[in-house]
């Protein structure tokens, strides 16, 4: 098993142990912001209170793993909650695609096409059910542990630079942002994240436009 997958599993086990102590108020969230030039940032957060903090011997996120995989680690306190955060900055959509595909847990494809005066972008992410199941099953024979992990909820938010014109998200935050909610038990080979958005093409470079 790759170190990336092992680290993800160890984090889930640690979170599970905290849940079994009786505190279930743990937020696992990912957010992706894509800029108009295709660059952007991916952010993964684990949010927990001081009770959980006192039970932890170390941070939930492995600092060494984060550094080796090109993530920046940050930890801070906000609204009476402890937040562990890793961020990854990508220079274009292809780099983001390669990063997701290298995990083996999902496959991302992207497409750009021109439609009238707009550039239309389509992003599809398909989860790899067998890889996710193997990640759990290969590391625990405890059915109670397996049941808890399968029901951990992840919140995934994506913000794009143009208007969303097609999407299968559960929640619309605004015209640019969508949110998906998943439990591992709900993921199968048909589970996808589909998102299409459009950006109006610039007829001339901005620098060439007159000042008045």
């Amino acid at each position: 098993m790759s170190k990336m997958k092992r680290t993800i599993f160890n984090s889930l086990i640690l979170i599970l142990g905290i849940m079994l102590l009786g505190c279930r108020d743990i937020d696992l969230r990912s957010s992706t912001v894509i800029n108009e030039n295709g660059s952007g940032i991916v952010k993964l957060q684990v949010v927990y209170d001081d009770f959980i903090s006192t039970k932890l011997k170390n941070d939930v996120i492995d600092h060494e793993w984060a550094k080796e995989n090109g993530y920046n680690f940050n930890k801070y306190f906000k609204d009476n909650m402890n937040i562990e955060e890793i961020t990854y900055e990508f220079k274009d959509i292809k780099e983001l695609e390669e990063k997701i595909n290298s995990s083996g847990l999902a496959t991302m494809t992207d497409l750009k096409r021109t439609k009238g005066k707009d550039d239309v972008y389509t992003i599809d992410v398909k989860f790899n059910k067998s890889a996710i199941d193997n990640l759990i099953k290969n590391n625990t024979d405890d059915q109670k542990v397996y049941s808890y992990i399968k029901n951990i909820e992840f919140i995934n938010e994506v913000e794009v630079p143009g208007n969303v014109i097609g999407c299968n998200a559960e929640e619309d935050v605004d015209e640019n942002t969508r949110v998906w909610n998943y439990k591992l038990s709900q993921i199968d080979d048909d589970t996808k994240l589909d998102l299409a958005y459009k950006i109006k093409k610039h007829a001339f470079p901005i620098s060439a436009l007159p000042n008045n």
Side-chain angles (χ1 to χ4, degrees):
M1 176 183 293
S2 70
K3 185 173 182 180
M4 183 178 198
K5 292 182 181 178
R6 187 180 300 111
T7 299
I8 294 172
F9 178 79
N10 290 340
S11 295
L12 291 176
I13 286 294
L14 178 56
I15 293 166
L16 170 62
I18 294 169
M19 291 171 65
L20 294 177
L21 291 172
C23 181
R24 299 171 183 267
D25 186 19
I26 302 174
D27 183 16
L28 302 178
R29 177 179 290 268
S30 70
S31 64
T32 303
V33 177
I34 301 175
N35 302 316
E36 188 167 348
N37 65 357
S39 66
I41 186 169
V42 177
K43 182 185 300 181
L44 305 173
Q45 291 182 329
V46 182
V47 184
Y48 52 88
D49 60 22
D50 281 337
F51 169 79
I52 295 175
S53 181
T54 62
K55 302 299 181 181
L56 295 175
K57 294 182 179 179
N58 300 294
D59 292 329
V60 174
I61 298 173
D62 185 330
H63 298 203
E64 181 180 350
W65 168 84
K67 183 177 180 180
E68 289 178 355
N69 285 273
Y71 294 96
N72 292 316
F73 176 84
N74 191 21
K75 183 176 180 180
Y76 54 95
F77 193 74
K78 182 179 180 181
D79 298 330
N80 296 319
M81 300 294 282
N82 298 276
I83 301 176
E84 290 185 39
E85 176 182 282
I86 58 173
T87 56
Y88 178 81
E89 296 184 27
F90 52 91
K91 64 180 184 296
D92 53 41
I93 297 295
K94 286 298 180 185
E95 182 180 345
L96 173 62
E97 180 180 311
E98 291 171 2
K99 194 68 174 178
I100 291 176
N101 293 347
S102 67
S103 73
L105 300 175
T107 301
M108 173 181 164
T109 57
D110 73 279
L111 175 67
K112 175 185 176 181
R113 67 184 190 278
T114 298
K115 187 175 181 180
K117 297 182 179 180
D118 299 320
D119 285 329
V120 178
Y121 298 82
T122 303
I123 295 175
D124 298 308
V125 178
K126 182 177 181 180
F127 291 95
N128 186 339
K129 182 180 184 298
S130 60
I132 294 173
D133 283 344
N134 289 336
L135 173 64
I136 302 172
K137 291 178 180 178
N138 289 345
N139 285 273
T140 181
D141 294 323
D142 189 319
Q143 288 301 312
K144 187 175 183 180
V145 171
Y146 180 80
S147 177
Y148 269 102
I149 293 176
K150 289 284 284 184
N151 283 285
I152 291 177
E153 185 173 29
F154 295 89
I155 302 170
N156 183 24
E157 180 178 293
V158 179
E159 178 183 341
V160 296
N163 294 338
V164 175
I165 57 175
C167 187
N168 66 343
E170 288 86 359
E171 180 183 346
D172 297 356
V173 177
D174 54 41
E175 63 183 12
N176 307 103
T177 308
R178 297 293 185 269
V179 177
W180 290 257
N181 295 282
Y182 296 111
K183 289 184 179 179
L184 292 181
S185 60
Q186 297 173 324
I187 294 177
D188 58 30
D189 290 332
D190 294 322
T191 303
K192 295 181 181 180
L193 182 158
D194 296 325
L195 176 64
Y197 63 96
K198 64 179 181 179
I199 300 175
K200 190 167 293 295
K201 294 190 300 181
H202 298 296
F204 303 96
I206 295 177
S207 59
L209 297 176
N211 294 325
N212 51 18

